[in-house]
Amino acid sequence: MASRALACQTLHELRDLIQQDPTAAEHLLEELLDRIAQLNGRLHAYLAEPDRKRLRQQVREQLKACPNGKLRGIPITVKDNICIQGEETTCASRILQGFRSPYDATVIERLRREGAVLMPRANMDEFAFGSSTENSAFGPTRNPWATDRVPGGSSGGSAAAVAADLAIGALGSDTGGSIRQPASFCGIVGMKPTYGRVSRYGLVAFASSLDQIGPLTKDVTDAAILLSVIAGHDARDSTSAPVEVPDYVSQLNTSVKGLRIGLPKLPEEGLDHEVNDSLAEAVKAFERLGCQTTSVELRQIDKAIATYYIIATAEASSNLARYDGVQYGYRAVGSGLGVEGSGQAQSPEPRTQNALLDMYLTTRTSGFGDEPKRRILLGTYVLSHGYYDAYYLKGMKVRTLIKQDFDEAFKRCDLVVMPTAPSPAFRLGEKIDDPLQMYLSDIYTISANLAGVPAVSIPCGLSKAGLPIGMQLLTAPFREDLLLRAAYAYEQATDWHRRQPGL
Amino acid sequence: MNYESVIGLEVHLQLSTKTKLFCGCLTKFGAPPNSQTCPVCLGLPGVLPVLNEQAFAWGIKVALALNCQIANVMKFDRKQYFYPDLPKNFQISQYDQPLSQHGHLDITVGEQAKRIGITRVHMEEDAGKLLHDTGGASSFVDFNRTGVPLLEIVSEPDIRSSDEAYHYLTELKAILQYLDVSTCNMEEGSLRCDTNVSLRSPGVAAFGAKVEVKNLNSFRAVKLALEYETKRQAAQLDRGDRIVQETRLWNAKKAITGPMRSKEEAADYRYFPEPDLVPFVIEPSVIERVRAGLPELPAQRRVRFQQRHQLSAYDAQGIAQDRALADLFEQALETYPKPKPVANWIMGDLSAYLNAHAVTLADVKLRPEWLGHLLQLIEEGTLSGKMAKDVLQQVLERGVDPVELVNQGSLRQVVDADALERIAEDVVQAFPKSVEDYGKGKTNALMYLVGQAMKRSQGKANPEQMTEMLKRKLVSRP
Amino acid sequence: MAVVTPEVVKQVAMLARLRLEGKALTQLAAQLDEILQYVQQLQAVDTQRVEPTSHVLPLTNVLRKDEPTPSLSQDAVVALAPAAQPPFVKVPKVIEV
């Protein structure tokens, strides 16, 4: 075993190693730093160069401070939309450049308490708007399995870092598939917990009623460990559920025999046949494990994308109104006053008599990329006078129907199985000019957010081109335990999770 | 031509909770700029609101006191507009499911009773404060006020004159003070008022175009602004001009309203349900509990004062209007159970003192029993009415029991004029030398005689009275 | 038929404080139109007796005690701002009032 690099091991293996020999944590960090130096230039999973000195110090401090921590000495990377005190949190947007959060997100407090080492920030689509990480204002992340392909998104940096062994685990956020889809594209495990399971306090809001933070890890056990650290009620989040958190890890080995697996009829347009085949194989594997399959109906699932793009953009347009150059982050140079702004954009001459309005317009126009602008406009439009009922209200009503579909389905089955994404990772640039096509690729992930149910993506195959394929499991609210058990049983019965990208 | 004014009032009330509506920052007025802020009220990326239960409870209390129907379920919405004092560029407010609706408030103008409808009472967060650099190119933001709990109290357009508006506001303020949920201080902005006014010809049912008037810093300003605005609109209508719907600002110095700089666009607040807050269910049992805990309100107290204590309508109004005065009145009756004189002293000397010094009852240290004692001393004849006025002044200034002041000696009056006369005569007889000296113009001699007389009266004589009496005696001597 | 015209998109952009002109405007307007056309499919769903969902969790009455928690220091607040004149945050002059 000594020959197997530490960086390539799983979180639970490393946890056990560090338990026996804390210096392993220091060796692990050095390995990761070397790999980052070697690979991040190509992958751009991390937004910033690691500060070696501070990281070494962090390892020493955490080893000392958290002798019994579940994540003692484990390097974790955090998506750039989760606030870390004293660190820049930009959401991969120019408009937040220079914003150093004066507070820790709840999940960060919990990571720190369990001894985690916080690596540099993971790249993402700007404000989590996207499915490819091409919308990062600071350049795209590339897929470790094929660097001409996208890692998925929006948590593409998190997924690529874990898949390429540049971090041992990662946190991402999932509003419409932003953890599961990149996990699927990068051949790792990614989970979106039940809405309310993990505190959103400190997660920069995209769509408040849909957002959840979740883990991206090398295997299911790691996901169970990371989830057990971040899950649980938080008084600072009014939408956080006061529901007890079970011991996910100890239950992993419980048999899945007799579990009922629901197979929905899905819109097949655009579904890659290799994905379809892998999924069929996976379902057979579940049957071999003693699960029963049954068909379930998710009648409104084909309406999920339209519903999602109304609700998510409406909330986003409101959540992003605060980025205006007044209080923090970027103020466009030359707009009104406040030339001290940290960005570089040169504003044209003021076009109105009102310097304040001009500052708003210039800051927001030059601070946001194209995709945030598109979504802000769409969201503003659907909420504006005269359109609210036709769009937003309608969307909220269809959302009710989608949720009812899931409520009904989970009366008939324990888990629903479907693909995570219609295809394996696509090429950089392939969909960037066609926003609607990009949105449509979220077809299988979006409804879990609308219904608030938990879902996990796990590796279930490789395409002929050698690209990972992901399977998605969904279950009833707060039954992450069931999700993890089923995923674990499948993982034990297969070896897809052991495949490594040939970097 | 004669027009009827149609007036609606919008009052914003800051609740005096310890902390803000959605975070734990303090709400103290006058704190150093930007010292009472946190990530939540600054709207930093990633933060979330959690509702203050005290503000919620007080909201229900106010709504019930204004006879509103409390919602079964209330929710919050985002009201969206860009402004530098609004950190999130939306205000968490309530739109279609507010805390309460359909209330009313009864006022009396002259002899005329009138009911003013209250459209709604809802909760929202306050914005920060902007300071303007006169002549400069900048404005400055202080976020301390951001997120302070507000109740917005919106009246129906039932008000028909500036007088009615004034009475509505006074009555509303009295009720709010009784509830003890706000300092109701207009100067500090804890109570703010905007008004809408339109005119219509008599007999016409439809409302005219309404003009909103802002920047009203006192009830008097509301009254004056409404008077000005109705005249201005009437003149405009008389000229055959149309009234445009607009917002105007009251200029207190010039006593006129002026148009607010027109916005670059029409407002479209794009209200939608606040996804970061859950709905709030208000159980009937909770409503009943709050209702049971409501204090007696000014209107009820006025009636009681008139019926039980036979106060005049004027006195009952004047005393019941201010909860502290009304409490004082009732508590003083425990020591001195005659309502009329107690009321007279409260409405007279006490109110005069408070007005003259621009203070409230809370600022002076007057215990109710002291007022009772004062009246007892008058009744016993220990103090004359005139003396009692001086004593009250000292009581208010020094915070002491009038009984104590009298016992210290300098104040008690020897009431028996014959006794005073006798003491004066005795002294004149006993000190002929001094009498002679006084005759030669030595004024010190008079002081000496007064001193002797005071001694003989054991300090009970009024020195001034004694001086006068001795002077008369000495002058009348051959 | 277009759901949104560039003129409407321009007005919406103003509400959102974005400056859109020329090619950027026409391109975005076309993209928004395509997305809104797609979204029209919801009109076919019968929602007459359906309550809207704004929260998936049945949580109600989440409240906090009226107890103070620490505020940030004045310095920290001012340090965040792109432009400040301590202890204030500085913005271009607000002309309206």
Side-chain angles (χ1 to χ4, degrees):
Chain A
M1 274 312 268
S3 62
R4 197 170 145 224
L6 292 169
C8 301
Q9 299 191 34
T10 62
L11 192 159
H12 58 94
E13 287 167 340
L14 290 163
R15 177 197 59 189
D16 296 345
L17 264 175
I18 294 168
Q19 193 86 39
Q20 289 162 24
D21 174 14
T23 60
E26 295 174 43
H27 299 312
L28 169 61
L29 177 69
E30 296 307 321
E31 277 188 25
L32 290 175
L33 290 173
D34 288 349
R35 285 185 72 84
I36 292 167
Q38 192 193 333
L39 293 169
N40 196 51
R42 266 158 77 197
L43 298 176
H44 198 226
Y46 285 113
L47 279 169
E49 289 291 313
D51 182 336
R52 288 172 171 257
K53 211 174 122 195
R54 279 187 57 201
L55 278 166
R56 286 175 187 135
Q57 192 188 338
Q58 229 196 107
V59 170
R60 284 194 299 274
E61 283 169 5
Q62 288 294 65
L63 285 174
K64 208 172 179 187
C66 311
N68 300 311
K70 287 181 188 167
L71 303 173
R72 187 185 184 211
I74 303 288
I76 303 284
T77 182
V78 175
K79 190 176 180 178
D80 199 34
N81 60 351
I82 299 173
C83 289
I84 301 182
Q85 187 173 359
E87 303 277 327
E88 203 175 359
T89 299
T90 68
C91 295
S93 179
R94 180 191 290 182
I95 208 158
L96 269 173
Q97 253 185 314
F99 169 66
R100 285 185 185 278
S101 173
Y103 75 101
D104 268 343
T106 299
V107 292
I108 298 300
E109 284 179 1
R110 294 183 181 188
L111 289 185
R112 288 192 202 274
R113 207 159 61 206
E114 295 295 339
V117 173
L118 299 175
M119 297 297 283
R121 311 306 296 269
N123 198 4
M124 58 186 283
D125 283 301
E126 185 174 358
F127 284 103
F129 298 155
S131 313
S132 68
T133 315
E134 291 166 290
N135 293 330
S136 167
F138 309 120
T141 298
R142 288 167 185 272
N143 193 316
W145 293 78
T147 52
D148 61 336
R149 304 218 171 222
V150 301
S154 65
S155 310
S158 297
V162 172
D165 296 322
L166 305 184
I168 302 310
L171 293 186
S173 68
D174 189 315
T175 308
S178 280
I179 289 174
R180 290 160 288 158
Q181 185 253 21
S184 151
F185 280 13
C186 292
I188 60 169
V189 175
M191 181 195 256
K192 181 203 90 76
T194 310
Y195 185 79
R197 175 92 284 184
V198 178
S199 169
R200 293 185 295 116
Y201 187 81
L203 168 66
V204 181
F206 159 5
S208 311
S209 77
L210 303 163
D211 296 339
Q212 266 294 283
I213 295 173
L216 294 102
T217 55
K218 298 182 186 185
D219 69 9
V220 174
T221 309
D222 287 2
I225 294 170
L226 210 42
L227 181 64
S228 69
V229 170
I230 61 173
H233 180 250
D234 178 15
R236 286 175 293 194
D237 176 357
S238 297
T239 63
S240 161
V243 176
E244 210 182 315
V245 181
D247 183 345
Y248 297 121
V249 183
S250 70
Q251 290 184 25
L252 287 176
N253 260 317
T254 313
S255 165
V256 294
K257 208 167 175 177
L259 283 186
R260 297 163 303 167
I261 302 227
L263 302 171
K265 188 163 162 37
L266 297 168
E268 276 171 18
E269 198 190 317
L271 178 59
D272 183 290
H273 69 92
E274 286 187 290
V275 173
N276 202 20
D277 294 349
S278 293
L279 207 77
E281 278 304 312
V283 170
K284 280 183 202 156
F286 273 118
E287 284 171 339
R288 283 195 295 275
L289 287 165
C291 299
Q292 297 152 17
T293 54
T294 176
S295 67
V296 292
E297 219 181 345
L298 296 172
R299 283 175 305 153
Q300 305 293 350
I301 197 164
D302 60 329
K303 301 290 186 293
I305 290 178
T307 307
Y308 176 86
Y309 278 93
I310 291 171
I311 291 171
T313 58
E315 292 182 11
S317 71
S318 174
N319 286 329
L320 270 64
R322 72 191 68 190
Y323 309 115
D324 61 0
V326 170
Q327 219 188 311
Y328 47 80
Y330 163 83
R331 180 183 292 186
V333 173
S335 66
L337 85 169
V339 193
E340 307 90 300
S342 48
Q344 312 82 5
Q346 281 300 322
S347 94
E349 285 301 298
R351 300 185 200 184
T352 68
Q353 293 300 303
N354 185 333
L356 176 72
L357 178 62
D358 192 60
M359 191 272 281
Y360 283 149
L361 289 169
T362 310
T363 297
R364 287 170 63 81
T365 304
S366 61
F368 287 125
D370 287 346
E371 188 59 28
K373 279 184 200 145
R374 221 159 8 238
R375 300 211 190 185
I376 289 169
L377 286 171
L378 187 56
T380 306
Y381 177 80
V382 300
L383 289 177
S384 63
H385 189 71
Y387 301 109
Y388 181 87
D389 286 5
Y391 292 102
Y392 193 71
L393 186 63
K394 187 78 183 180
M396 288 200 296
K397 287 179 172 178
V398 179
R399 184 175 186 182
T400 305
L401 296 175
I402 292 170
K403 186 173 181 302
Q404 283 168 359
D405 279 354
F406 278 94
D407 292 345
E408 286 305 310
F410 292 126
K411 283 179 191 160
R412 305 194 51 221
C413 66
D414 300 301
L415 297 162
V416 163
V417 171
M418 59 169 115
T420 306
S423 71
F426 47 87
R427 288 194 170 75
L428 265 83
E430 197 177 317
K431 300 188 183 184
I432 197 73
D433 293 324
D434 192 343
L436 185 58
Q437 279 313 306
M438 189 77 99
Y439 296 174
L440 294 176
S441 70
D442 298 336
I443 176 84
Y444 302 124
T445 46
I446 266 172
S447 50
N449 300 80
L450 289 168
V453 302
V456 66
S457 175
I458 54 174
C460 75
L462 283 178
S463 71
K464 286 198 195 78
L467 297 169
I469 293 169
M471 163 172 61
Q472 192 183 191
L473 306 177
L474 302 89
T475 192
F478 302 106
R479 291 310 307 274
E480 287 85 355
D481 57 329
L482 201 58
L483 218 50
L484 289 164
R485 257 169 63 195
Y488 182 78
Y490 175 83
E491 190 181 80
Q492 295 307 299
T494 59
D495 67 349
W496 298 116
H497 66 289
R498 281 194 242 279
R499 305 297 178 89
Q500 295 270 338
L503 276 164
Chain B
M1 195 166 155
N2 263 330
Y3 300 98
E4 182 181 46
S5 338
V6 176
I7 297 165
L9 292 170
E10 212 173 88
V11 168
H12 284 92
L13 180 76
Q14 277 186 351
L15 295 175
S16 46
T17 49
K18 277 202 232 45
T19 67
K20 293 186 179 180
L21 190 55
F22 297 117
C23 69
C25 285
L26 293 173
T27 56
K28 274 191 213 126
F29 180 82
N34 291 312
S35 66
Q36 292 179 357
T37 65
C38 74
V40 176
C41 55
L42 289 173
L44 295 190
V47 297
L48 299 168
V50 186
L51 183 64
N52 183 334
E53 67 177 11
Q54 182 73 84
F56 181 34
W58 283 356
I60 298 174
K61 195 170 164 185
V62 169
L64 283 176
L66 298 176
N67 307 294
C68 289
Q69 285 173 25
I70 308 291
N72 298 324
V73 182
M74 71 161 195
K75 69 174 175 68
F76 286 91
D77 300 274
R78 293 184 181 177
K79 178 181 182 180
Q80 311 192 70
Y81 60 95
F82 281 81
Y83 214 68
D85 63 4
L86 195 63
K88 304 183 291 290
N89 286 322
F90 61 77
Q91 179 191 30
I92 304 180
S93 181
Q94 299 190 302
Y95 184 56
D96 57 349
Q97 283 177 258
L99 169 68
S100 64
Q101 297 183 79
H102 312 304
H104 61 82
L105 188 149
D106 294 324
I107 58 170
T108 312
V109 183
E111 297 291 289
Q112 205 68 35
K114 181 159 181 181
R115 175 161 289 186
I116 308 294
I118 289 178
T119 315
R120 59 195 274 151
V121 175
H122 77 239
M123 307 180 72
E124 61 185 27
E125 56 180 350
D126 208 343
K129 255 185 203 160
L130 276 172
L131 291 94
H132 304 288
D133 176 8
T134 34
S138 307
S139 293
F140 303 97
V141 204
D142 171 7
F143 293 105
N144 280 349
R145 201 176 68 179
T146 307
V148 169
L150 285 183
L151 292 182
E152 183 173 315
I153 303 166
V154 185
S155 88
E156 290 286 310
D158 291 346
I159 299 164
R160 293 289 171 269
S161 69
S162 60
D163 248 7
E164 284 182 17
Y166 186 85
H167 279 81
Y168 169 86
L169 290 171
T170 337
E171 183 66 15
L172 179 64
K173 184 177 169 186
I175 292 171
L176 296 171
Q177 280 177 330
Y178 266 65
L179 298 175
D180 199 19
V181 295
S182 171
T183 57
C184 296
N185 185 332
M186 285 192 90
E187 274 148 40
E188 293 180 359
S190 63
L191 194 139
R192 309 198 282 270
C193 180
D194 300 328
T195 174
N196 289 308
V197 55
S198 63
L199 297 188
R200 62 180 173 189
S201 304
V204 173
F207 295 148
K210 70 179 178 187
V211 171
E212 190 179 5
V213 184
K214 288 177 177 273
N215 201 32
L216 301 164
N217 297 322
S218 65
F219 291 171
R220 209 177 110 75
V222 174
K223 197 163 182 271
L224 293 175
L226 284 171
E227 279 162 11
Y228 175 85
E229 191 55 26
T230 33
K231 269 187 212 146
R232 186 190 70 84
Q233 290 186 24
Q236 203 160 324
L237 290 171
D238 286 343
R239 282 199 305 271
D241 291 344
R242 259 174 7 102
I243 304 289
V244 251
Q245 183 162 339
E246 61 171 339
T247 300
R248 298 175 72 85
L249 296 177
W250 173 245
N251 183 327
K253 262 189 208 147
K254 296 186 188 161
I256 57 167
T257 66
M260 198 159 125
R261 200 172 191 285
S262 71
K263 290 188 177 167
E264 313 240 345
E265 57 180 324
D268 180 349
Y269 293 128
R270 288 161 288 133
Y271 282 102
F272 80 106
E274 168 56 272
D276 290 328
L277 289 166
V278 298
F280 295 84
V281 177
I282 310 171
E283 302 287 352
S285 62
V286 171
I287 297 173
E288 285 324 306
R289 202 165 58 230
V290 176
R291 200 193 300 278
L294 283 181
E296 186 186 33
L297 295 174
Q300 298 160 287
R301 217 167 190 188
R302 270 197 300 271
V303 171
R304 199 163 54 81
F305 283 1
Q306 288 183 61
Q307 290 176 350
R308 189 189 295 173
H309 302 308
Q310 276 80 48
L311 292 193
S312 68
Y314 179 80
D315 284 353
Q317 164 80 21
I319 294 173
Q321 204 61 17
D322 183 324
R323 186 181 184 171
L325 286 183
D327 289 345
L328 174 73
F329 171 71
E330 296 207 282
Q331 287 161 14
L333 286 182
E334 287 168 22
T335 321
Y336 186 77
K338 294 181 184 167
K340 184 62 189 165
V342 175
N344 285 347
W345 276 85
I346 290 176
M347 292 291 286
D349 285 82
L350 177 60
S351 295
Y353 179 91
L354 296 178
N355 286 337
H357 293 80
V359 290
T360 66
L361 196 55
D363 300 321
V364 296
K365 300 163 203 142
L366 175 65
R367 294 204 195 141
E369 64 267 26
W370 297 349
L371 183 59
H373 291 161
L374 186 74
L375 289 157
Q376 277 170 353
L377 290 167
I378 298 170
E379 186 174 294
E380 287 165 17
T382 309
L383 292 177
S384 69
K386 185 169 173 292
M387 286 295 293
K389 285 175 192 287
D390 297 340
V391 173
L392 179 65
Q393 177 124 2
Q394 291 200 50
V395 168
L396 294 173
E397 274 161 13
R398 291 159 57 187
V400 288
D401 189 339
V403 172
E404 210 172 300
L405 281 177
V406 166
N407 285 344
Q408 279 165 9
S410 61
L411 285 166
R412 189 184 295 245
Q413 197 174 18
V414 173
V415 279
D416 187 343
D418 288 349
L420 277 185
E421 192 75 36
R422 259 198 313 276
I423 292 170
E425 192 54 42
D426 286 354
V427 170
V428 170
Q429 296 296 338
F431 300 98
K433 175 88 172 69
S434 298
V435 173
E436 201 184 315
D437 287 351
Y438 182 74
K440 291 174 185 162
K442 292 188 182 170
T443 44
N444 278 348
L446 177 62
M447 296 311 294
Y448 179 77
L449 291 171
V450 171
Q452 290 302 318
M454 290 305 289
K455 211 176 192 175
R456 287 181 184 220
S457 78
Q458 293 171 307
K460 288 177 187 172
N462 180 323
E464 283 168 38
Q465 235 175 327
M466 184 53 78
T467 310
E468 289 310 307
M469 192 170 278
L470 281 167
K471 266 187 190 167
R472 272 202 310 277
K473 280 195 181 301
L474 295 174
V475 170
S476 65
R477 266 172 198 273
Chain C
M1 215 192 68
V3 179
V4 281
T5 58
E7 288 68 49
V8 171
V9 173
K10 200 168 170 151
Q11 286 164 18
V12 172
M14 186 46 138
L15 269 181
R17 296 294 183 267
L18 292 170
R19 183 181 278 138
L20 280 184
E21 276 155 4
K23 200 169 151 252
L25 174 63
T26 43
Q27 195 188 346
L28 259 167
Q31 287 171 342
L32 287 181
D33 189 59
E34 191 191 7
I35 296 162
L36 286 167
Q37 301 270 10
Y38 174 79
V39 164
Q40 299 298 316
Q41 61 177 286
L42 292 191
Q43 301 311 322
V45 183
D46 179 6
T47 53
Q48 256 193 329
R49 291 199 186 132
V50 182
E51 287 296 312
T53 294
S54 51
H55 294 91
V56 285
L57 289 182
L59 289 173
T60 58
N61 296 49
V62 178
L63 295 157
R64 43 169 276 274
K65 295 241 178 291
D66 184 22
E67 284 164 4
T69 52
S71 289
L72 293 172
S73 71
Q74 274 178 314
D75 292 347
V77 176
V78 168
L80 285 170
Q85 183 164 308
F88 297 102
V89 170
K90 188 158 77 168
V91 293
K93 187 152 190 173
V94 180
I95 315 168
E96 207 160 59
V97 180

